[in-house]
């Protein structure tokens, strides 16, 4: 009715401009008849008639009227993000969710900023604030990303609730949180460092160090996410019978000291770098890049975009994949009526291989009296790395990694 009246009013105003002495509304009826009515007849006669007609139709078809009301209401999605929007992983996840749900629901976002917080009591307080946020904006679907949102919000307050929950970015497994719940589905975040990398490292060790068995050191900071990663890596290395040592630090000074020490010792053949983000305020990128270039005597692997400048090879996961999956799943629940229990929990599938040209060109590796055959193998290895960058033969060597590019 409002739309019809708006049209009538606009046409009446336009007619008023055409006929300076009168305010007329023109109705074109059947045939060639044209009737002129004064504007006030519209409101005195047409409006009451339209109101009566709408009430009669609603009384005859009550279910249709209810369906229309529901269709015009806009769903609400509350998104609980574990980190801050300035963190690259969070930014990519959020952008993907926003893109997917742009015309689907009203998206309300709560950032926990938990990367910079290590006190469990403080994190519990933030979890309570997130709960109050959700109560303030009652949602049709809750989306949560990464471990702390699950640990401090979903698990204590919305486990098996009536509100559907779609999660993403849970590291390695949902077992620590008792997942799945009746009202949840989601995407698990598996490390890109899998058996493909281990086979790669083994071959490199044979070619370079003439050793079939090798050991790795994992340099990291003890956060919720990294503790999950440590459990995953320990299990994976144990299955492959590879020696694996974890070195945890709490400051940039400790990180640098242990990085130099691990590169100089004779125990470890490879180094995996974990997340330094909790130390971001103390971290000087230029100074750290210079130090890592200078003291890297062993192959350095990593799995985070922020660690690319300090590693020879980086096996990346995709935050965009996580966000797109969560957004599309929420869309299925809102628009198609799916229940979370209808949708299987899945692992991530997209990975990137990045090699750091600066680190490789420095070439600080101490090759032990390489024979001509070993030198040839090294040349073949470098040639393969260059070919990987062309994206032509990459799927033949790393079937689980989608594509490669040079940092």
């Amino acid at each position: 009715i409002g739309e019809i009246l708006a049209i009538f009013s606009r046409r009446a105003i336009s007619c008023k401009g055409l006929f300076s002495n009168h305010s007329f509304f023109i109705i074109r009826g059947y045939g060639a008849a044209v009737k002129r009515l004064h504007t006030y007849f519209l409101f005195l006669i047409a409006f009451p008639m339209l109101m009566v007609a709408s009430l009669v139709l609603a009384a005859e078809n009550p279910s249709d009227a209810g369906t229309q009301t529901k269709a015009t209401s806009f769903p609400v999605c509350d998104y609980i993000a574990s980190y801050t929007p300035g963190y690259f992983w969070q930014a990519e996840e959020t952008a993907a969710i926003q893109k997917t749900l742009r015309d689907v629901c009203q998206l309300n976002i709560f950032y926990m900023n938990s990367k910079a917080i290590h006190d469990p009591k403080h994190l519990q307080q933030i979890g309570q604030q997130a709960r109050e946020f959700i109560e303030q904006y009652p949602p049709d679907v809750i989306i949560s990303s990464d471990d702390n949102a699950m640990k401090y919000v979903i698990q204590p307050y919305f486990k098996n609730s009536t509100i559907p929950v779609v999660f993403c970015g849970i590291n390695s497994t949902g077992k620590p949180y008792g997942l799945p719940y009746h009202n949840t589905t989601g995407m698990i975040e598996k490390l890109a460092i899998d058996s493909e990398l281990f086979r790669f490292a083994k071959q490199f060790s044979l070619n370079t160090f003439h050793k079939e068995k090798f050991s790795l050191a994992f340099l990291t900071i003890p956060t919720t996410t990294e503790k999950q990663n440590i459990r995953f890596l320990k299990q994976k290395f144990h299955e492959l019978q590879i020696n694996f040592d974890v070195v945890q630090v709490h400051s940039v000074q400790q990180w640098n000291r242990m990085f130099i020490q691990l590169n100089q010792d004779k125990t470890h053949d490879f180094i995996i770098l974990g997340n330094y983000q909790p130390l971001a305020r103390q971290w000087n990128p230029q100074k750290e890049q210079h130090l890592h270039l200078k003291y890297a005597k062993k192959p350095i692997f990593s799995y985070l975009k922020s660690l690319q400048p300090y590693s020879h090879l980086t096996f990346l996961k995709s935050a965009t994949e996580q966000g797109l999956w969560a957004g599309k799943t929420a869309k299925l629940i809102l628009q198609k009526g799916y229940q979370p229990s209808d949708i299987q929990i899945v692992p991530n599938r997209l990975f990137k291989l990045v090699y750091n040209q600066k680190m490789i060109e420095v070439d600080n590796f101490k090759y032990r009296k390489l024979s001509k055959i070993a030198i040839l193998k090294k040349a073949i290895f470098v040639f393969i790395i260059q070919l990987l960058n062309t994206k032509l033969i990459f799927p033949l060597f790393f079937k689980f990694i989608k594509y490669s590019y040079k940092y």
Side-chain angles (χ1 to χ4, degrees):
I1 293 172
E3 292 177 359
I4 294 172
L5 287 176
I7 295 171
F8 285 174
S9 300
R10 285 197 297 271
R11 290 186 179 177
I13 292 169
S14 64
C15 292
K16 190 174 181 179
L18 292 173
F19 302 92
S20 56
N21 296 329
H22 301 85
S23 177
F24 289 110
F25 181 81
I26 300 176
I27 302 177
R28 298 189 181 275
Y30 296 100
V34 178
K35 298 180 181 180
R36 295 183 178 179
L37 298 175
H38 200 274
T39 306
Y40 69 84
F41 280 110
L42 170 67
F43 298 98
L44 292 179
I45 298 174
F47 181 69
M49 290 177 65
L50 288 169
M51 286 293 293
V52 171
S54 65
L55 291 173
V56 171
L57 289 172
E60 291 179 354
N61 300 287
S63 60
D64 292 346
T67 303
Q68 181 64 28
T69 302
K70 186 176 181 180
T72 55
S73 63
F74 208 50
V76 175
C77 298
D78 286 350
Y79 173 32
I80 308 301
S82 288
Y83 309 130
T84 181
Y87 180 43
F88 74 93
W89 178 271
Q90 185 63 76
E92 291 180 14
E93 267 181 334
T94 304
I97 290 171
Q98 288 174 326
K99 178 181 178 180
T100 310
L101 298 177
R102 182 176 295 130
D103 300 319
V104 176
C105 65
Q106 174 187 324
L107 185 63
N108 307 310
I109 306 177
F110 182 92
Y111 292 100
M112 295 179 67
N113 192 22
S114 63
K115 270 292 183 204
I117 301 167
H118 306 293
D119 182 15
K121 291 184 178 180
H122 192 179
L123 289 169
Q124 288 172 2
Q125 292 175 357
I126 295 174
Q128 292 173 356
Q129 294 172 9
R131 177 192 182 183
E132 294 169 1
F133 175 85
I134 292 172
E135 291 173 346
Q136 183 181 357
Y137 303 99
D140 297 280
V141 173
I142 299 173
I143 302 170
S144 75
S145 63
D146 302 291
D147 285 73
N148 283 333
M150 177 60 66
K151 183 175 181 178
Y152 294 102
V153 184
I154 305 304
Q155 185 181 22
Y157 302 119
F158 299 98
K159 179 179 179 179
N160 296 323
S161 75
T162 57
I163 306 174
V165 175
V166 178
F167 65 82
C168 63
I170 300 297
N171 286 277
S172 305
T173 176
K175 290 181 179 179
Y177 314 114
L179 290 167
Y181 311 145
H182 298 315
N183 63 322
T184 60
T185 187
M187 174 172 275
I188 297 294
E189 180 188 329
K190 294 281 189 181
L191 281 179
I193 299 179
D194 59 9
S195 54
E196 294 296 324
L197 170 62
F198 302 145
R199 281 193 283 271
F200 177 88
K202 183 176 181 179
Q203 188 61 43
F204 189 94
S205 180
L206 281 170
N207 293 347
T208 307
F209 307 125
H210 309 294
K211 294 167 59 177
E212 184 172 355
K213 290 187 177 182
F214 58 91
S215 63
L216 296 97
F218 183 39
L219 178 60
T220 188
I221 295 168
T223 64
T224 302
T225 298
E226 291 302 86
K227 288 175 182 177
Q228 287 278 77
N229 289 335
I230 288 169
R231 281 193 289 268
F232 168 77
L233 289 171
K234 279 186 175 179
Q235 180 182 356
K236 181 65 71 173
F237 282 119
H238 179 73
E239 292 172 358
L240 296 168
Q241 298 181 342
I242 296 172
N243 183 47
F244 175 65
D245 295 319
V246 179
V247 179
Q248 300 185 61
V249 298
H250 298 84
S251 68
V252 173
Q253 291 75 19
Q254 288 180 350
W255 176 289
N256 292 339
R257 186 167 63 251
M258 293 310 302
F259 180 82
I260 295 171
Q261 183 177 321
L262 289 171
N263 274 281
Q264 292 176 345
D265 69 27
K266 297 181 179 180
T267 306
H268 304 97
D269 300 305
F270 300 90
I271 300 171
I272 301 175
L273 299 183
N275 196 356
Y276 73 86
Q277 280 299 315
L279 306 176
R281 293 183 180 180
Q282 310 167 35
W283 194 271
N284 184 321
Q286 291 182 342
K287 182 180 177 181
E288 293 303 320
Q289 188 171 11
H290 175 75
L291 183 141
H292 285 69
L293 283 169
K294 181 178 179 180
Y295 291 101
K297 310 296 182 183
K298 300 175 182 178
I300 312 296
F301 299 140
S302 64
Y303 52 84
L304 291 171
K305 189 175 182 180
S306 58
L307 291 165
Q308 288 174 206
Y310 319 110
S311 312
H312 294 99
L313 291 175
T314 305
F315 290 73
L316 291 177
K317 302 164 290 186
S318 171
T320 300
E321 178 192 15
Q322 298 279 340
L324 288 175
W325 191 94
K328 290 178 180 179
T329 303
K331 189 175 179 180
L332 284 176
I333 293 171
L334 291 171
Q335 295 186 344
K336 302 295 184 180
Y338 280 76
Q339 295 298 316
S341 56
D342 299 331
I343 304 170
Q344 187 176 2
I345 295 175
V346 298
N348 52 325
R349 294 182 175 86
L350 301 182
F351 302 104
K352 304 175 186 178
L353 171 65
V354 184
Y355 76 91
N356 186 339
Q357 186 70 27
K358 292 180 182 177
M359 293 280 286
I360 291 175
E361 285 175 352
V362 170
D363 197 5
N364 284 332
F365 302 138
K366 299 298 181 183
Y367 296 99
R368 304 176 183 176
K369 298 180 181 180
L370 294 182
S371 63
K372 291 182 179 180
I373 295 177
I375 294 173
L376 178 61
K377 288 181 178 179
K378 180 191 172 186
I380 293 173
F381 166 77
V382 174
F383 177 67
I384 289 174
I385 287 292
Q386 295 293 338
L387 280 180
L388 289 177
N389 193 49
T390 67
K391 307 179 187 178
L392 295 177
I393 67 167
F394 189 83
L396 300 177
F397 286 86
F398 297 94
K399 60 183 177 181
F400 296 115
I401 302 171
K402 191 177 180 184
Y403 60 93
S404 165
Y405 66 97
K406 180 174 68 176
Y407 171 76

